[in-house]
Amino acid sequence: MIKNKNIFVILILSILFVGCTDVIDPADENIRDQNSTYNEPNFGLGLLTQGYTRIPTNGYNFSEVATDDAVSNDVSNGFLRLATGQWTASNNAADRWTSCFSGIQYMNIVLTEADKMTFAEDPIIDKLFKERIKGEAYGLRALFMFNLLQSHAGWVNGKLMGVPIYSEVLNKDSNFNVPRQDFNTCVAQIYKDVDSAAVRLPLNYRDIVNESDIPARYLAINATVGAYNRTMGLRYLGLVSGIIVKAIRSQTSLMAASPAFADGTANGSNETWANAAKHAAEVIAFKGGLTGLPTDFNSGVAWYRNTSQINGLTAGSNPPEVLWRAGTSNNNDLEREHFPPSLFGNGRVNPTQNFVDAFYANNGYPITHPSSNYNQNSPYANRDPRLAEFVNYHGRTAGVTNAQINMATGTQDPVNKVLTSTRTGYYMRKLLRQDVNYNPSGRNTQLHYRPRIRYTEMYLNYAEAANEAWGAVSDPEGYGYTAYDIIKVIRKRAMNLNTDPYLESIKNDKDAMRELIRNERRLELSFEGFRFWDLRRWKVPFSKLTEDAKGITVSGTLNAPVYSTPATVENRAYQNHMYYGPIPYLETLKFTNLLQNDLWNN
């Protein structure tokens, strides 16, 4: 399971006797009687915190450098090594096994121990606290299982397998040598946990004023408005809520309905595209339907640099684009790592020409279409505004000084000029605040936050699933919008299109719409950790999975550039079985019942 039985013994003893201190090396003087901790609210909340700290999307891993979207200039980058032939079951940058199973163990302890704890002297308030905490634990357990399936589910001897399911607290006497459950059983467990969470949690944390707003479940135990607000009110924004667990279900069902898992055989996933659309629609209904999606560029596309919204964030509150986020941080770590060297950054993530070519002309046509009027000698003119928003290219202004990026004759920024220069002719701009100054002589910091789930993801989930289930212009379930409607809004927001002739020309072509929806997802969710997994769940042709990462070089001068023909920068060295990640090699050595995914060895 995690590493060996002893880690679980340490984990459990540390929690039961030390609260939420370090689970590796507890201090002897802090050891208390287990029963004494049950009267301390912080004990239970500390256990829950151990789950929140293990959420995989608390930070960015930039797995895009293992896709057709980007490369890295850091030769030690785990995803670079993964993409170039070093991905093994014992060397896996995409591994989530230990952290997610550790999170599940913590949540199992919460669910086992919560009813024994005391959170308030008032029995009704105490009961409400316990219900909310258990709801959070069920929701986090579902989230960890989703991430485990995404990273480690795969085919074993003709059957789609998930991971072991542990719903009880493990101790030194537990049997660790248990087999993996099949994929459908794991998905069913996620849905069960989502339901268990949703029935206990408010859809969203808010203060209520009327008794009629109290859920029937809590009215039955004589909860008052004051008691409800104290335990499930506005102050708890940011914790797992009912709408968050519904979003986790949407993520799970979209993955499960995708071609890599629902392959049409009896041994594959039994999830459907219609169910995936339904689960996304539940989240969209909470947001207000089609009109709920933020329609202005700065809120919906450039959310990461929307200064007024970021500065206005209070504890747990969200901007209009964000369903759930991690906390804010007042630092310039992203800029230090990803600014071009001329702005004193390390230029780590380099978008590819492949990615740049995925952006449309500003009239909405792909640049390969005759109506796009694309000019390869002036490749960034008249393009989809998201290109300039997400990518620093030659001549683009950047940073607090609004200096032009010079890929032709610059002293640091051109391809491979110094160790921190781009390898592709491009630097990542998305996620970075241009009002950060990383110049050693005048550095400043700015607020950042990491969305865990954005609403645009949910709308794109629906568009993809609905198009696959019914086509782009059909709404047989009466949701009030179609896949076409959603994509039209997203493209209008991005490109300010009064008319969208390309979309209109393909809206009745399911295959063409599939490619458009996937491309919109590629652009809208770029550098947020989706592309690596999307390519795999779509089971794209192997030639696409292994597509060379391309770049360009610029010669001439700053104002009279000459662009080279795109050339290969990095080869992708995947094999056919690498649509699915491996089980950690050491785990399969320790536990004979833990079968490895097909063709993975070590």
Side-chain angles (χ1 to χ4, degrees), residues 160-180:
L160 184 61
M161 301 301 293
V163 297
I165 294 177
Y166 296 95
S167 55
E168 305 291 335
V169 177
L170 297 170
N171 57 45
K172 63 184 178 63
D173 298 319
S174 297
N175 176 23
F176 291 83
N177 192 17
V178 296
R180 299 166 64 181

Side-chain angles (χ1 to χ4, degrees), residues 256-459:
S258 297
F261 302 100
D263 72 336
T265 70
N267 290 329
S269 171
N270 57 22
E271 186 57 284
T272 67
W273 286 116
N275 272 344
K278 179 183 73 172
H279 294 150
E282 291 178 2
V283 181
I284 293 172
F286 171 81
K287 185 61 173 170
L290 185 64
T291 59
L293 185 69
T295 55
D296 65 288
F297 189 92
N298 285 336
S299 292
V301 176
W303 50 268
Y304 51 87
R305 63 164 179 82
N306 191 315
T307 305
S308 61
Q309 289 182 357
I310 296 172
N311 291 343
L313 290 176
T314 56
S317 66
N318 290 315
E321 169 61 19
V322 177
L323 191 158
W324 191 28
R325 65 174 176 86
T328 57
S329 60
N330 192 13
N331 60 44
N332 50 24
D333 293 347
L334 282 170
E335 288 74 25
R336 179 193 67 224
E337 286 300 293
H338 303 294
F339 266 173
S342 63
L343 296 179
F344 305 95
N346 291 320
R348 291 305 188 202
V349 173
N350 310 151
T352 58
Q353 188 67 47
N354 318 52
F355 179 65
V356 169
D357 288 348
F359 289 87
Y360 308 95
N362 62 1
N363 61 7
Y365 282 97
I367 62 170
T368 54
H369 194 285
S371 297
S372 70
N373 298 316
Y374 171 70
N375 180 358
Q376 63 182 359
N377 295 318
S378 185
Y380 315 123
N382 302 315
R383 295 290 296 275
D384 179 341
R386 289 174 293 190
L387 174 58
E389 183 63 39
F390 295 166
V391 178
N392 275 329
Y393 47 75
H394 178 78
R396 181 77 175 95
T397 57
V400 293
T401 61
N402 238 12
Q404 285 185 291
I405 304 294
N406 187 349
M407 301 287 190
T409 58
T411 58
Q412 296 175 294
D413 290 343
V415 172
N416 296 329
K417 200 69 178 289
V418 296
L419 290 177
T420 54
S421 296
T422 178
R423 298 172 58 206
T424 63
Y426 302 103
Y427 294 94
M428 185 184 78
R429 184 183 179 95
K430 187 179 178 181
L431 308 180
L432 310 183
R433 290 191 56 160
Q434 301 303 309
D435 52 352
V436 164
N437 186 355
Y438 201 63
N439 187 326
S441 65
R443 286 180 178 171
N444 68 351
T445 59
Q446 299 292 353
L447 279 176
H448 299 76
Y449 69 93
R450 167 63 156 116
R452 292 182 176 130
I453 303 174
R454 287 172 53 204
Y455 278 108
T456 293
E457 178 194 349
M458 295 293 109
Y459 282 80

Side-chain angles (χ1 to χ4, degrees), residues 468-531:
E468 298 297 340
W470 315 299
V473 296
S474 181
D475 178 25
E477 300 298 321
Y479 295 125
Y481 47 84
T482 64
Y484 157 82
D485 292 329
I486 285 174
I487 296 302
K488 183 176 182 179
V489 168
I490 288 174
R491 284 166 61 84
K492 180 174 175 56
R493 178 177 76 183
M495 293 178 276
N496 195 28
L497 297 171
N498 292 320
T499 60
D500 193 343
Y502 180 68
L503 176 62
E504 296 300 322
S505 72
I506 66 167
K507 65 182 181 182
N508 293 307
D509 184 334
K510 184 176 181 178
D511 293 338
M513 280 298 296
R514 177 186 300 118
E515 293 308 308
L516 180 63
I517 291 166
R518 289 181 178 183
N519 200 59
E520 286 296 334
R521 186 177 179 92
R522 179 183 190 178
L523 302 182
E524 287 284 330
L525 304 181
S526 57
F527 304 115
E528 297 179 54
F530 288 88
R531 182 71 172 172

